[in-house]
Amino acid sequence: MTLEQIRLALDWTPNTNHTGFYVAQHKGWFTEAGLEIHIQPPSDQYTKEETPARKVVNGLADCCIGPTESVISCWTTEETKARLVAVAAILNEDASALTVKSSSKFSSLKSLDEAKYASYGGRFEMAIVRQAIKNDGGQGIVTEVNPPKLDCFDCVMRGETDSTWIFTAWEGLIAKKQGIELRNFPLNEAGVPYGYSPVILAHPDFLSGQKRDIMERFVKVVERGFVFAANNPAEAAKILMKEANDKRLNEMGEDFVVESQKMLSKHYLDANGKWGIMEAKRWESFVDWLCQNGCLTFRDESPVPRSSLDCVKLFTNELLK
């Protein structure tokens, strides 16, 4: 049987946000569906030009992992660029937060004024961070620092910067392993109706014609992998380590990965036990918030008219039916 090739660009080095892909690969479910998956972790350099969405837009991958903002960015850039579409949410609930060391002077979001923030270079990232600080009563004058993407959290741990954005079930546990206590500020507590993160973004060529069947098979296999991980976190974590064979995972150790998996598996499924399903009202709320607070701008920093962005086009649940 000839297998259809599909290339997936990861947003980070292999971790528990990605477990479902590796479970499905280990179980042979991609092969059963007539697919051969090629998982592309970022390089150690992980430059801005190497972001997962750029890989898909530039034809180096067929789909990728990224936050809601990556989808929005694709729909508010040059019309010649591919409009990527979210086809599944990996996490049903937000498991991220802005963070500082508990030993620092920063006791609240508003106190982050004048702090040094390690930025991943996301197009809307700093606007969101500054508005979250304003929502908490600050002025939003945090200073952006741009270390290598993979080094943002380590910069906080080394004391070179004060804050960054983390996944609490990953970087939060890394800090715990190092004996460092963190103070986390979830965005929803600052009045930010944050969208889904991460999601699977697909090239529009895979949402119509003959290629749509490939993406549909892919999404359904991935769903199977994440449902397995939700119900069998310890086993899934061990599969992740074996299949990814990543040096960072190996350095963390099995106990760490299992603990992270048990934390994150609780966020995979919705209240109905379904994986991947996205709600229009959540997309609408986040886009509305971005526009209302001046966070959604074109690359020339002019505001994106809310009427120009139709959230219905940004995502689809059709491949999960």
Side-chain angles (χ1 to χ4, degrees):
M1 178 175 66
T2 301
L3 300 179
E4 300 283 2
Q5 309 293 307
I6 190 158
R7 301 166 297 170
L8 170 70
L10 298 185
D11 58 334
W12 206 252
T13 56
N15 61 67
T16 46
N17 277 345
H18 310 138
T19 305
F21 303 106
Y22 289 100
V23 166
Q25 185 178 48
H26 178 79
K27 296 286 187 180
W29 295 336
F30 287 114
T31 303
E32 286 180 12
L35 301 173
E36 182 175 345
I37 186 172
H38 298 274
I39 301 176
Q40 303 174 357
S43 70
D44 289 340
Q45 290 72 38
Y46 199 178
T47 65
K48 187 176 180 180
E49 298 305 315
E50 195 190 349
T51 59
R54 285 180 184 269
K55 283 185 176 180
V56 177
V57 169
N58 293 329
L60 301 176
D62 307 310
C63 55
C64 68
I65 311 303
T68 296
E69 298 96 293
S70 291
V71 182
I72 297 170
S73 181
C74 287
W75 285 79
T76 55
T77 190
E78 297 92 339
E79 292 184 3
T80 55
K81 297 291 182 66
R83 295 334 198 193
L84 307 190
V85 177
V87 295
I90 291 178
L91 301 182
N92 178 257
E93 299 174 324
D94 183 27
S96 71
L98 302 182
T99 196
V100 298
K101 287 183 180 179
S102 291
S103 59
S104 72
K105 64 180 181 180
F106 305 104
S107 59
S108 63
L109 272 177
K110 66 180 179 181
S111 70
L112 285 178
D113 277 336
E114 306 295 348
K116 291 185 291 184
Y117 173 85
S119 169
Y120 299 95
R123 181 174 158 196
F124 309 119
E125 180 183 357
M126 290 311 301
I128 294 170
V129 170
R130 288 179 173 128
Q131 187 59 48
I133 294 171
K134 291 177 183 178
N135 284 2
D136 196 48
Q139 298 180 62
I141 52 176
V142 62
T143 300
E144 180 181 13
V145 179
N146 295 104
K149 288 172 72 74
L150 294 177
D151 204 34
C152 286
F153 179 66
D154 290 337
C155 282
V156 176
M157 293 298 94
R158 294 193 298 264
E160 296 168 9
T161 57
D162 304 306
S163 181
T164 195
W165 201 333
I166 67 167
F167 280 102
T168 55
W170 193 254
E171 287 87 359
L173 276 186
I174 291 175
K176 179 181 177 182
K177 183 176 180 180
Q178 295 177 3
I180 298 174
E181 186 176 346
L182 299 179
R183 182 176 294 118
N184 295 326
F185 307 116
L187 292 184
N188 61 355
E189 293 182 6
V192 181
Y194 191 52
Y196 293 96
S197 183
V199 296
I200 301 175
L201 292 75
H203 194 284
D205 287 354
F206 280 84
L207 296 178
S208 63
Q210 294 180 341
K211 288 186 176 182
R212 180 185 172 90
D213 175 65
I214 297 174
M215 187 55 62
E216 187 169 355
R217 280 184 278 153
F218 170 75
V219 170
K220 288 181 176 176
V221 169
V222 171
E223 176 186 16
R224 192 177 176 187
F226 277 102
V227 170
F228 180 92
N231 295 322
N232 306 275
E235 183 180 352
K238 294 173 185 177
I239 291 173
L240 168 64
M241 293 193 71
K242 180 178 180 180
E243 285 294 320
N245 192 27
D246 177 75
K247 63 180 181 181
R248 292 178 176 84
L249 276 177
N250 294 333
E251 288 170 0
M252 291 298 102
E254 183 178 297
D255 290 346
F256 171 91
V257 178
V258 169
E259 184 177 356
S260 172
Q261 191 64 64
K262 288 180 177 179
M263 290 176 65
L264 203 62
S265 286
K266 300 174 184 177
H267 298 288
Y268 285 155
L269 310 182
D270 65 17
N272 298 315
K274 299 292 185 180
W275 176 84
I277 300 296
M278 295 169 281
E279 296 181 355
K281 64 180 181 181
R282 188 160 165 185
W283 281 87
E284 295 278 356
S285 294
F286 186 44
V287 172
D288 286 346
W289 182 88
L290 289 171
C291 286
Q292 290 164 5
N293 290 283
C295 300
L296 193 57
T297 60
F298 291 111
R299 295 192 184 278
D300 63 3
E301 299 188 1
S302 62
V304 174
R306 177 64 182 88
S307 59
S308 70
L309 202 56
D310 185 357
C311 290
V312 173
K313 296 180 179 179
L314 305 186
F315 78 101
T316 180
N317 291 319
E318 291 299 314
L319 303 185
L320 288 162
K321 294 181 178 179

